[in-house]
Amino acid sequence: MIEDKNPQRTSIAQLGEFGLIDHLTKNFDVTQESTLKSIGDDAAVLDFKDKKVVVSTDLLIEGVHFDLAYMPLKHLGYKAVVVNVSDICAMNAKPTQITVSVAVSNRFPLEALEELFDGIAHAAKEYKVDVIGGDTTSSQKGLIISITAIGEADEKELVYRNGAQKTDLLVVTGDLGAAYMGLQVLEREKQVFQVNPNNQPDLDPYTYLVERQLKPEARKDVRTLLHALDIKPTAMIDISDGLSSEIIHICKQSKVGCNLYEDKLPLDPQFISTCEEFNIDSTTVAINGGEDYELLFTIDINDFDKIKGNPNFSVIGHMTEENEGIHLVTRANTKIALKARGWDALTE
């Protein structure tokens, strides 16, 4: 593919704030019955009738949460929506609306923001959420994105972090660690490129890992799958900061302990081979990596037969009495205290 060395650059200042909003939001459609008024007034108006409303918000900052050296703006827009929708899914709720706020420096032309909002629009369509408002402003240093997600559920459907019981099973969707290894591959190729710009990265052997990092998916399907199996989780959380951190959140809020089994962790073959290439322990990455956006939940032990053998779920451990602690049980059958070594935005 031939790259355009002189792409069109339209200054955002030409449009002004309200012109920019009109330009970037003209393709957002309203699809949810609960959206009475979306973009265009002082506030959006929603009507959930007898449903409970769940709200979550996330902030993504250039240089902290993403690197535009290898993160395409369209992928960034998509991912920004996904990480917020995932929080709604982790409440066993249905995502319905989002708001989008962007702070941008003058190094970004209009065309760059169009790419970003194309990704947002694509994700909104994929997850069937309405974009109902937000804000745009200037930034002194780079790009900042803040998205608030809104969802609905019947009160009896909602699942919190504090409901796990001492005999529950610990279950996870999908596989673990791939997003972190995708990041390691991209960082390595960035460093190679900086040394020799003529050396183009070969990402073909790592397609799954890179996709898990650049274009993750929220598990919107899990709510439907569990409903079909007649299973309601007792506690649930999404895996954004790493499996170990999320297990500890559930344990602390539910006042229980946990035994996590190393040999039960679901790992993709490409992930395992790339860990070997990087000389990194796959278990360490799987429990600490983060950004998988899979769902981690607990179920009553009596529901085991309903979930047994289902390819969407892996039983990876069980809960215990609080005083037994939180442990990883290794393949050698030794217990290691589990520590929260996942992502913490406020640590250096």
Side-chain angles (χ1 to χ4, degrees):
M1 191 169 108
I2 299 174
E3 182 182 359
D4 184 358
K5 299 298 183 182
N6 296 293
Q8 184 179 353
R9 288 179 60 87
T10 304
S11 169
I12 294 172
Q14 289 180 225
L15 284 80
E17 181 182 359
F18 298 110
L20 177 64
I21 292 170
D22 290 341
H23 182 84
L24 294 176
T25 61
K26 62 186 177 184
N27 296 321
F28 291 145
D29 299 320
V30 171
T31 62
Q32 296 290 332
E33 289 183 9
S34 52
T35 306
L36 299 186
K37 179 67 178 178
S38 61
I39 298 168
D41 219 305
D42 289 300
V45 180
L46 308 178
D47 179 11
F48 288 92
K49 299 182 172 65
D50 56 349
K51 298 280 187 180
K52 299 300 178 185
V53 181
V54 292
V55 182
S56 181
T57 190
D58 264 311
L59 195 63
L60 298 178
I61 299 174
E62 184 179 355
V64 177
H65 301 101
F66 59 88
D67 186 338
L68 291 178
Y70 48 72
M71 170 65 84
L73 284 164
K74 190 169 184 178
H75 285 67
L76 177 61
Y78 191 94
K79 184 173 181 177
V81 175
V82 164
V83 302
N84 285 274
V85 166
S86 181
D87 284 331
I88 303 301
C89 295
M91 299 294 293
N92 203 36
K94 172 190 171 186
T96 50
Q97 290 92 5
I98 59 171
T99 65
V100 180
S101 296
V102 176
V104 61
S105 70
N106 60 10
R107 88 173 199 267
F108 292 92
L110 174 63
E111 288 73 21
L113 284 185
E114 286 176 337
E115 281 287 301
L116 179 71
F117 273 74
D118 279 350
I120 292 170
H122 182 58
K125 185 175 181 180
E126 176 68 25
Y127 288 94
K128 296 180 173 59
V129 294
D130 294 340
V131 182
I132 59 166
D135 192 20
T136 56
T137 189
S138 60
S139 164
Q140 291 296 316
K141 292 190 175 180
L143 179 60
I144 301 170
I145 307 167
S146 177
I147 290 185
T148 296
I150 301 163
E152 66 176 32
D154 291 334
E155 187 170 10
K156 64 182 180 182
E157 295 175 319
L158 288 169
V159 178
Y160 304 96
R161 298 178 182 181
N162 64 358
Q165 302 298 310
K166 61 186 178 183
T167 59
D168 285 351
L169 299 176
L170 185 65
V171 185
V172 72
T173 63
D175 57 79
L176 301 168
Y180 179 85
M181 287 312 297
L183 179 62
Q184 302 316 298
V185 169
L186 290 166
E187 285 287 349
R188 181 185 68 181
E189 296 304 319
K190 174 188 172 182
Q191 291 171 14
V192 170
F193 181 78
Q194 287 174 337
V195 172
N196 181 8
N198 293 319
N199 192 338
Q200 292 298 309
D202 178 16
L203 299 176
D204 287 345
Y206 314 103
T207 50
Y208 179 66
L209 307 182
V210 170
E211 183 174 7
R212 290 279 279 175
Q213 171 58 219
L214 297 184
K215 190 177 175 287
E217 299 290 353
R219 294 305 303 259
K220 64 175 182 177
D221 57 324
V222 169
R223 183 171 181 258
T224 303
L225 289 169
L226 291 174
H227 186 267
L229 293 169
D230 191 28
I231 295 174
K232 182 188 175 183
T234 52
M236 187 184 285
I237 192 170
D238 76 327
I239 303 175
S240 55
D241 299 331
L243 179 67
S244 58
S245 296
E246 316 304 3
I247 289 174
I248 290 170
H249 282 313
I250 287 179
C251 288
K252 285 186 174 179
Q253 294 199 28
S254 297
K255 295 182 170 52
V256 293
C258 179
N259 284 329
L260 169 69
Y261 291 88
E262 182 181 19
D263 61 351
K264 300 296 184 184
L265 296 172
L267 309 178
D268 183 82
Q270 191 176 101
F271 165 77
I272 295 172
S273 62
T274 307
C275 284
E276 291 172 353
E277 179 187 341
F278 277 69
N279 196 27
I280 299 175
D281 179 66
S282 60
T283 298
T284 301
V285 176
I287 66 175
N288 296 312
E291 288 202 295
D292 290 311
Y293 299 105
E294 297 292 346
L295 293 179
L296 176 73
F297 57 94
T298 54
I299 61 170
D300 189 295
I301 194 169
N302 293 316
D303 286 332
F304 174 67
D305 286 340
K306 298 177 184 177
I307 212 168
K308 180 175 63 176
N310 191 305
N312 296 288
F313 308 113
S314 299
V315 178
I316 59 173
H318 63 86
M319 315 316 282
T320 64
E321 295 276 5
E322 184 177 19
N323 60 13
E324 290 187 32
I326 307 169
H327 294 94
L328 172 70
V329 181
T330 70
R331 292 184 180 90
N333 205 32
T334 57
K335 281 189 173 184
I336 300 172
L338 204 60
K339 298 188 185 303
R341 293 195 176 96
W343 167 256
D344 185 339
L346 300 181
T347 58
E348 293 183 3

